[in-house]
């Protein structure tokens, strides 16, 4: 048996999310089925993070145990041929130690959130950005973001379906930057609560529109109450960028 | 009557190209039909350039004459509502002089060509890049590109369907730059022959793979013969970036 580490890029648009679901296609199932067709093995893929429906990944990390002997080249090429036409691409594979775990060995996760901030809707990046037609003040958003960095109880920014043992997390960084017509929000932490990035982006968008002051973000955080949340940003702007390992 | 200048972003994937066709959807027809539904007028849209099937535009410029009185806001919002769900977005509209012409007044055109140069196929940018799985030498490509800059007879790089009066054109710049896994080729000229950018990119890709030397590009150019062409790059990597006016 070999434990393989996989790096996977995917367009979340057609999927119900990363995790296998009864009611629709998932990235996990797509890759697991491709592997089954290659090896005849019903193996389970474990990922660094479970993304929601519509959320994309530039480089999700996962692992899977395979009994059949395969070369790196054969595994990657085989999976990429068999996942077609799903918008999933295995960009890298490498053998890892048997106790290496994509989720539990992970010491850092990075996300990017893309807002298209112009009046006209997206054409080229449809389904790949959150379209906000009202002008946003990126500097005010960056100021609001600073209140969230650090070790906090993020109950306000947590989905009711969140399975994390504790709402206390350390947010290492949260930056807001305008590049042309887009605003890019980047978040890094050891781990995130369910919907945390989208909840934070939603509040920052309220700051950008001038409905909230930057300080209102701190007030919402300190409320430790989901009702204090302004708005959950939609999934299509969110990208899982990278999982970091020791 | 008002002559309107429109700036249009589109994903070329589902279209037979810019120009109205009998056998399938075009960007021109999509926008003309939206305008007809707004105004009842059968107006013709004139563009700075006619892109092929699958070619994208970040900002195509076009003009159209409209009798009905409309505000800028109303025209842009109306068109964007009515082109749905086609991946077309009117990002800007402005009134121009009656003798202003999107094609004939244009003094410069810029294109971008995106190559995804990695082993694994694209997932997020499927249909938006040319996937070249073999490693390309971007520096050799840049060297080859320099032979094409300037005033030349571009017969080698011209489609048999090209309607231009002369094969002699001045290529103002042609740059090749690697950014991560992508190679970006940027071309600027007053005007281009049909398939010129894709033909040039095709030859540069041969240089990048080491099949041609950078000097072979000059030899192909000087042959003034379509048979000397190495390869036509596919449409999905090509973007019309901008039309320039005095």
């Amino acid at each position: 048996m070999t434990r393989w580490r996989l790096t996977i890029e995917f367009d979340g648009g057609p999927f119900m999310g990363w995790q296998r679901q009864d009611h629709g296609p998932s990235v996990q199932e797509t890759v697991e089925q491709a592997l089954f067709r290659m090896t005849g093995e019903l193996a389970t893929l474990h990922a660094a993070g479970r993304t929601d429906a519509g959320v994309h990944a530039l480089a999700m990390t996962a692992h899977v145990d395979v009994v059949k002997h395969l070369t790196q080249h054969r595994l990657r090429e085989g999976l990429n041929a068999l996942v077609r036409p799903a918008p999933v691409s295995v960009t890298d594979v490498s053998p890892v130690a048997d106790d290496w775990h994509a989720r539990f060995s992970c010491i850092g996760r990075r996300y990017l959130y893309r807002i298209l901030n112009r009046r006209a809707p997206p054409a080229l990046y449809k389904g790949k950005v959150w379209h906000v037609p009202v002008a946003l003040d990126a500097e005010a958003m960056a100021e609001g973001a600073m209140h969230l960095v650090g070790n906090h109880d993020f109950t306000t920014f947590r989905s009711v379906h969140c399975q994390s043992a504790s709402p206390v997390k350390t947010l290492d960084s949260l930056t807001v930057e305008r590049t042309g017509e887009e605003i890019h929000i980047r978040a890094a932490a050891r781990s995130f609560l369910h919907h945390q990035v989208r909840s934070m982006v939603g509040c920052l968008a309220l700051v950008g529109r001038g409905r909230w002051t930057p300080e209102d973000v701190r007030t919402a955080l300190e409320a430790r109450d989901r009702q204090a949340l302004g708005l959950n940003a939609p999934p299509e702007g969110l990208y899982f960028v990278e999982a970091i390992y020791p």
Side-chain angles (χ1 to χ4, degrees), chain A:
Chain A
M1 187 216 79
T2 305
R3 178 159 290 191
W4 290 98
R5 169 180 170 163
L6 311 179
T7 308
I8 305 170
E9 174 187 308
F10 60 85
D11 175 347
F15 297 107
M16 301 306 298
W18 167 268
Q19 200 169 22
R20 190 181 268 276
Q21 303 279 344
D22 289 334
H23 57 295
S26 63
V27 182
Q28 183 187 3
E29 186 184 20
T30 299
V31 180
E32 284 174 356
Q33 282 185 346
L35 190 69
F36 176 72
R37 287 172 62 194
M38 276 184 83
T39 63
E41 298 172 38
L42 286 166
T44 300
L45 213 61
H46 298 269
R50 280 178 248 164
T51 53
D52 284 325
V55 174
H56 315 292
L58 293 165
M60 176 59 79
T61 302
H63 81 259
V64 65
D65 293 331
V66 181
V67 175
K68 182 173 178 169
H69 177 74
L70 292 165
T71 62
Q72 274 176 267
H73 179 80
R74 180 89 207 287
L75 177 58
R76 191 190 56 203
E77 300 295 300
L79 290 176
N80 282 330
L82 292 166
V83 294
R84 279 184 202 162
V88 171
S89 182
V90 179
T91 57
D92 198 37
V93 304
S94 58
V96 286
D98 286 1
D99 63 348
W100 189 93
H101 197 289
R103 183 170 165 208
F104 301 121
S105 304
C106 181
I107 56 163
R109 291 161 174 91
R110 296 203 300 119
Y111 282 93
L112 163 68
Y113 198 97
R114 287 172 63 181
I115 296 175
L116 179 67
N117 188 33
R118 69 174 188 199
R119 188 68 208 162
L124 268 164
Y125 301 114
K126 211 173 187 177
K128 305 289 198 302
V129 291
W130 178 24
H131 177 222
V132 177
V134 184
L136 297 175
D137 179 343
E139 284 178 35
M141 292 168 73
E143 205 183 318
M146 282 164 56
H147 294 294
L148 298 173
V149 176
N151 183 261
H152 301 291
D153 178 333
F154 283 98
T155 297
T156 303
F157 301 92
R158 180 188 201 182
S159 151
V160 291
H161 302 293
C162 183
Q163 290 169 23
S164 179
S166 162
V168 178
K169 295 280 173 192
T170 300
L171 181 63
D172 296 323
S173 69
L174 185 65
T175 62
V176 181
E177 190 185 24
R178 180 177 284 279
T179 45
E181 292 177 328
E182 290 196 21
I183 291 175
H184 290 176
I185 300 167
R186 294 177 188 275
R190 184 177 183 98
S191 62
F192 291 90
L193 299 168
H194 189 218
H195 282 185
Q196 187 181 342
V197 179
R198 289 168 54 193
S199 301
M200 295 190 301
V201 170
C203 287
L204 294 180
L206 290 174
V207 175
R209 295 174 72 162
R211 293 213 190 152
W212 278 24
T213 66
E215 292 68 35
D216 286 340
V217 176
R218 173 175 219 109
T219 309
L221 174 71
E222 289 174 349
R224 296 191 191 105
D225 176 4
R226 185 75 184 161
Q227 302 303 316
L229 181 71
L231 165 75
N232 214 3
E236 63 263 29
L238 186 59
Y239 294 73
F240 184 93
V241 172
E242 189 187 15
I244 297 158
Y245 297 90

